[in-house]
Amino acid sequence: PPSAAANLRPGAEQKVVFITARVHPGETPSSFVCQGIIDFLVSQHPIVKVLRDHLVFKIAPMLNPDGVYLGNYRCSLMGFDLNRHWANPSPWAHPTLHGVKQLIIEMYNNPKINLEFYIDIHAHSTMMNGFMYGNIFEDEERFQRQAVFPKLLCQNAEDFSYSSTSFNRDAVKAGTGRRFLGGLLNDTSYCYTLEVSFYSYILGGHTSTVPYTEEAYMKLGRNVARTFLDYYRLNSLVDRPLAPTPKTR
């Protein structure tokens, strides 16, 4: 259609943000955060119109639907912790991971697609606030660049903690989406686990805790989405006539 965003026209180069959630069925807050992202991205908010013109968001909101249906806490129908099987998912035993991984590899191999972000949303049972896990790289400059997004998110979301954000290569986490895709994709892609507390957050400078609500989780999702505006420095385009802008790398 004539109104299609420039980045969806045939042959256009696409910057893709890939988001997954609910790989662990008991981590219900991850679904509310993901819902906040989705609701915001399909809204008519002026920020979103700019984001949709510059980025393609691909979202798999529930990686473990059978586990959720059964009321499992961590496992799938067959008893697998899916977030340890990214390295070699079986189409039979881990069909959702297999499908998502194939899609990510297809995008990675497509010269017209830049897979810039992968974010997997979880909930944390012992820590407070929202925070992220990232990967450790030998390349100092790449490591510094990876810290940019969580720092910007911290400025946008009062419940997001940069001080709780950590970068690791813990062996226990080797089969997770963030670790596996961080090793697969090149140095222009950033892979994160976004964690949010099951129960509450502490605002900077305060000692009292604020209980999370469904709305507060969804607000964190909206803040994740709007942080891409800052990351790509698109703020100047909001609320102006949205003329086609030249693509910059």
Side-chain angles (χ1 to χ4, degrees):
S3 62
N7 58 5
L8 294 179
R9 291 187 189 128
E13 194 172 272
Q14 295 181 1
K15 290 188 170 87
V16 172
V17 175
F18 203 101
I19 296 168
T20 56
R22 209 71 190 276
V23 72
H24 292 140
E27 296 177 10
T28 49
S30 75
S31 283
F32 291 114
V33 174
C34 194
Q35 185 75 48
I37 293 173
I38 294 169
D39 289 348
F40 187 62
L41 290 177
V42 298
S43 75
Q44 293 304 305
H45 195 289
I47 285 178
V48 176
K49 292 179 179 178
V50 174
L51 290 178
R52 290 193 304 243
D53 274 346
H54 288 81
L55 300 167
V56 175
F57 289 86
K58 293 187 182 286
I59 301 174
M62 190 174 286
L63 287 180
N64 195 341
D66 48 338
V68 169
Y69 177 78
L70 291 165
N72 291 355
Y73 181 70
R74 199 168 173 88
C75 294
S76 65
L77 169 64
M78 296 177 63
F80 291 107
D81 178 345
L82 295 180
N83 206 33
R84 296 296 181 270
H85 289 277
W86 277 93
N88 192 22
S90 150
W92 176 73
H94 326 104
T96 53
L97 287 200
H98 184 266
V100 167
K101 183 178 171 182
Q102 292 302 113
L103 178 59
I104 287 173
I105 290 172
E106 273 174 38
M107 289 192 293
Y108 178 63
N109 290 330
N110 184 334
K112 288 284 187 187
I113 295 177
N114 290 325
L115 182 52
E116 307 230 323
F117 282 89
Y118 171 76
I119 299 175
D120 189 28
I121 309 172
H122 287 250
H124 206 284
S125 58
T126 59
M127 290 178 67
M128 285 190 271
N129 294 65
F131 58 95
M132 282 179 142
Y133 292 127
N135 294 316
I136 288 180
F137 303 107
E138 303 300 335
D139 177 357
E140 178 66 21
E141 195 247 350
R142 183 181 183 188
F143 185 66
Q144 297 293 342
R145 278 189 283 126
Q146 184 189 217
V148 172
F149 188 85
K151 282 180 178 172
L152 292 172
L153 177 54
C154 189
Q155 291 169 17
N156 286 335
E158 61 181 10
D159 58 321
F160 184 85
S161 166
Y162 185 75
S163 60
S164 294
T165 291
S166 65
F167 302 93
N168 67 60
R169 54 159 73 109
D170 183 347
V172 177
K173 311 274 191 181
T176 64
R178 168 202 39 113
R179 280 287 306 279
F180 176 74
L181 294 170
L184 170 76
L185 305 175
N186 63 27
D187 64 1
T188 60
S189 302
Y190 300 102
C191 298
Y192 304 96
T193 302
L194 172 62
E195 295 272 2
V196 63
S197 173
F198 267 104
Y199 51 104
S200 59
Y201 57 96
I202 298 179
L203 298 175
H206 294 261
T207 52
S208 57
T209 60
V210 182
Y212 265 113
T213 60
E214 293 173 12
E215 174 52 37
Y217 288 130
M218 288 192 271
K219 184 178 179 184
L220 177 59
R222 292 194 293 273
N223 284 326
V224 168
R226 70 185 299 152
T227 297
F228 289 104
L229 193 79
D230 301 324
Y231 183 84
Y232 289 104
R233 295 185 179 156
L234 301 171
N235 283 298
S236 60
L237 302 177
V238 176
D239 287 328
R240 291 189 188 179
L242 297 178
T245 54
K247 283 203 67 127
T248 53
R249 286 303 294 260

